[in-house]
C-alpha cells in the first residue's frame, strides 16, 4: 500500500466514533515504534513532520524513512502530514516532496488573511491530490517553532467555522478548545489539586466543540496539543537527573470523549519525546559503561511503541480500524 491521504481515514473515523493518531516523527526509532504499534494493532496512522523536524533531519531522510515504514507495514493506511506549515512556500515544498497531507497554520493572522492564504494552499494541494488541514483559534504552549504565551491563546469562535470552511475549501479543521502544545500545557495557577496533591488541568471546552459540530456536521475536526504527559515518564525523568516540575497534559478520558464526537485526528508529540527521554535517562544511569547508541535507543524505541499502542487502544479507539 502506498501513502494515502486522510480523506477515507477521516470518513471512517467520523462515522465510527474514533480518532486517528497523528504522531510527530523526527528519526528512525520514532517512525519504527509508531508504525510497528499501528501495524500490530491494525490501526490507521498519520505520521506528521513539523518544520523543525525537516530542519533537523532533512526532508529527504524523513520521507525515505516513512517510505520504508509503508513498505514494512503494507496492510495499514499511513498518511504523511506536514504539521504547522506557516507559509504557502513550506506547504508547496512538502506537496511537491511527496506528502499526502499538509497543514497551513495562519491562525494567528486576521480572519480574512487566514482565509486568503489557506485557500491558496488548498487550491495548489488539491491540484496535486493532497489534502489540507487549517486552523481557527490559537493554542498556548511551545512546540518547535510554534510559541504562544499563556493568556494569548484564543478559543475557536464557532460562528466563524462554516464561513471559513466554505471559503477555503479545506479538508479538516483544527480548533482550539483548551488543549495546549508542549509538556507544560498549563500554569499551576490554572489548575486545581486533587486529594493526592496532583495538578488537575481545567476541562476542555466541549461546548465549543459541540457548537462547531452543529455548524459543520460531518466535517473532520482536529485537536492539536493533545499529549497527556504521562506522569510515570515525568517521574523517571526527574528521578534520573531531569528537571520537569509541574509538567501536565490533557486527561486521556477527555480525549477519548472528543474522539467519540467529531474529532477525527488527535495530535501527539510530547508523549513520544517523554517516553524516549525517560527511557534513555534511566538506561544511561543504570548502565554507565555503555556507549553504543543501539543499546539505549532499542529500549527507547520500545517505549515509543508501547505508548503508541496504549493510545491506539485506550484513547483513540482506532485498533482494528485499518
Amino acid at each position: 500500500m502506498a501513502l494515502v491521504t486522510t480523506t477515507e481515514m477521516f470518513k471512517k473515523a467520523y462515522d465510527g466514533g474514533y480518532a486517528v493518531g497523528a504522531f510527530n516523527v523526527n528519526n528512525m526509532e520514532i517512525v519504527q515504534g509508531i508504525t510497528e504499534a499501528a501495524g500490530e494493532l491494525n490501526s490507521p496512522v498519520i505520521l506528521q513532520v513539523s518544520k523543525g523536524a525537516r530542519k533537523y533531519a532533512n526532508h529527504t531522510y524523513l520521507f525515505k524513512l516513512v517510505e520504508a515504514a509503508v513498505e514494512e507495514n503494507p496492510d495499514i493506511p499511513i498518511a504523511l502530514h506536514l504539521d504547522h506549515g506557516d507559509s504557502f512556500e513550506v506547504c508547496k515544498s512538502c506537496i511537491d516532496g511527496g506528502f499526502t497531507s499538509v497543514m497551513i497554520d495562519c491562525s494567528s493572522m486576521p480572519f480574512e488573511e487566514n482565509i486568503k492564504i489557506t485557500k491558496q494552499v488548498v487550491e495548489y494541494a488539491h491540484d496535486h491530490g493532497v489534502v489540507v488541514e487549517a486552523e481557527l483559534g490559537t493554542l498556548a504552549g511551545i512546540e518547535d517553532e510554534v510559541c504562544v504565551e499563556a493568556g494569548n491563546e484564543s478559543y475557536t469562535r464557532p460562528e466563524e467555522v462554516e464561513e471559513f470552511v466554505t471559503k477555503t475549501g479545506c479538508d479538516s479543521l483544527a480548533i482550539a478548545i483548551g488543549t495546549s502544545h508542549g509538556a507544560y500545557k498549563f500554569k499551576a495557577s490554572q489548575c486545581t489539586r486533587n486529594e493526592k496533591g496532583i495538578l488537575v488541568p481545567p476541562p476542555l471546552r466541549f461546548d465549543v466543540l459541540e457548537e462547531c459540530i452543529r455548524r459543520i456536521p460531518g466535517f473532520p475536526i482536529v485537536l492539536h496539543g493533545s499529549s497527556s504527559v504521562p506522569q510515570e515518564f515525568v517521574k523517571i525523568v526527574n528521578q534520573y537527573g531531569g528537571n520537569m516540575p509541574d509538567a501536565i497534559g490533557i486527561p486521556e478520558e477527555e480525549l477519548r470523549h472528543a474522539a467519540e464526537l467529531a474529532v477525527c485526528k488527535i495530535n501527539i508529540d510530547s508523549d513520544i519525546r517523554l517516553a524516549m527521554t525517560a527511557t534513555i535517562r534511566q538506561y544511561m544511569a543504570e548502565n554507565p559503561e555503555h556507549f553504543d547508541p543501539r543499546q539505549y535507543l532499542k529500549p527507547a524505541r520500545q517505549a515509543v511503541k508501547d505508548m503508541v499502542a496504549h493510545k491506539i487502544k485506550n484513547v483513540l479507539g482506532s485498533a482494528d480500524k485499518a
Side-chain angles (χ1 to χ4, degrees):
M1 182 184 292
L3 282 168
V4 301
T5 70
T6 56
T7 302
E8 188 65 19
M9 281 187 190
F10 288 169
K11 183 179 186 305
K12 291 180 177 179
Y14 195 103
D15 294 340
Y18 64 91
V20 180
F23 300 95
N24 285 67
V25 299
N26 297 280
N27 62 17
M28 182 185 75
E29 287 76 16
I30 294 175
V31 172
Q32 290 174 325
I34 294 167
T35 54
E36 285 176 14
E40 290 179 11
L41 291 171
N42 195 34
S43 170
V45 71
I46 299 165
L47 302 179
Q48 57 183 25
V49 174
S50 67
K51 183 179 178 182
R54 292 178 79 219
K55 184 184 295 185
Y56 167 75
N58 182 286
H59 176 106
T60 303
Y61 279 106
L62 287 171
F63 185 78
K64 294 300 181 182
L65 285 171
V66 172
E67 278 192 324
V70 171
E71 187 174 331
E72 289 292 312
N73 298 274
D75 298 324
I76 62 168
I78 300 175
L80 178 57
H81 175 74
L82 169 66
D83 189 27
H84 287 290
D86 60 358
S87 68
F88 173 80
E89 289 73 24
V90 169
C91 292
K92 180 179 183 298
S93 174
C94 288
I95 293 166
D96 294 343
F99 282 48
T100 56
S101 175
V102 296
M103 179 200 186
I104 176 65
D105 181 5
C106 296
S107 58
S108 61
M109 297 181 179
F111 183 68
E112 293 299 332
E113 188 70 11
N114 190 352
I115 288 177
K116 178 182 176 181
I117 299 175
T118 300
K119 183 178 180 182
Q120 181 186 17
V121 172
V122 167
E123 289 174 349
Y124 188 84
H126 286 183
D127 283 346
H128 292 78
V130 174
V131 296
V132 177
E133 173 188 324
E135 183 168 352
L136 275 178
T138 54
L139 278 63
I142 299 172
E143 180 182 0
D144 286 354
E145 297 180 10
V146 180
C147 180
V148 178
E149 292 185 7
N152 292 331
E153 71 274 19
S154 61
Y155 292 114
T156 298
R157 299 176 63 187
E159 62 270 22
E160 293 179 342
V161 296
E162 186 175 5
E163 179 184 359
F164 184 85
V165 166
T166 301
K167 287 186 175 181
T168 63
C170 65
D171 302 284
S172 61
L173 183 66
I175 65 171
I177 63 170
T179 56
S180 178
H181 290 125
Y184 300 92
K185 297 182 182 298
F186 308 98
K187 293 182 177 179
S189 59
Q190 297 175 281
C191 304
T192 58
R193 290 191 183 272
N194 63 19
E195 63 280 0
K196 296 181 180 180
I198 299 172
L199 287 173
V200 178
L204 297 181
R205 289 287 303 275
F206 282 104
D207 58 322
V208 174
L209 172 58
E210 289 167 357
E211 182 61 16
C212 289
I213 295 170
R214 189 185 72 80
R215 291 173 179 266
I216 46 173
F219 195 82
I221 291 175
V222 176
L223 285 188
H224 284 243
S226 297
S227 284
S228 297
V229 189
Q231 292 303 295
E232 63 267 29
F233 292 140
V234 175
K235 183 178 179 180
I236 292 171
V237 168
N238 290 335
Q239 181 180 350
Y240 292 99
N243 182 26
M244 297 186 67
D246 295 337
I248 187 171
I250 308 299
E252 290 186 337
E253 60 271 19
E254 293 193 24
L255 296 173
R256 183 71 197 102
H257 181 54
E260 292 169 346
L261 296 173
V263 173
C264 298
K265 174 175 177 276
I266 292 179
N267 288 15
I268 299 169
D269 184 9
S270 294
D271 288 355
I272 291 173
R273 301 182 188 193
L274 277 169
M276 291 198 78
T277 299
T279 303
I280 291 171
R281 278 188 175 274
Q282 182 173 357
Y283 185 94
M284 298 295 275
E286 294 176 349
N287 301 275
E289 74 280 10
H290 287 181
F291 62 92
D292 185 341
R294 293 171 296 184
Q295 292 173 309
Y296 55 82
L297 288 175
K298 184 177 180 180
R301 178 176 59 194
Q302 184 64 45
V304 171
K305 180 179 177 179
D306 292 343
M307 187 274 292
V308 171
H310 164 74
K311 298 289 185 182
I312 288 171
K313 290 186 288 186
N314 301 312
V315 180
L316 302 165
S318 62
D320 293 321
K321 304 295 186 182

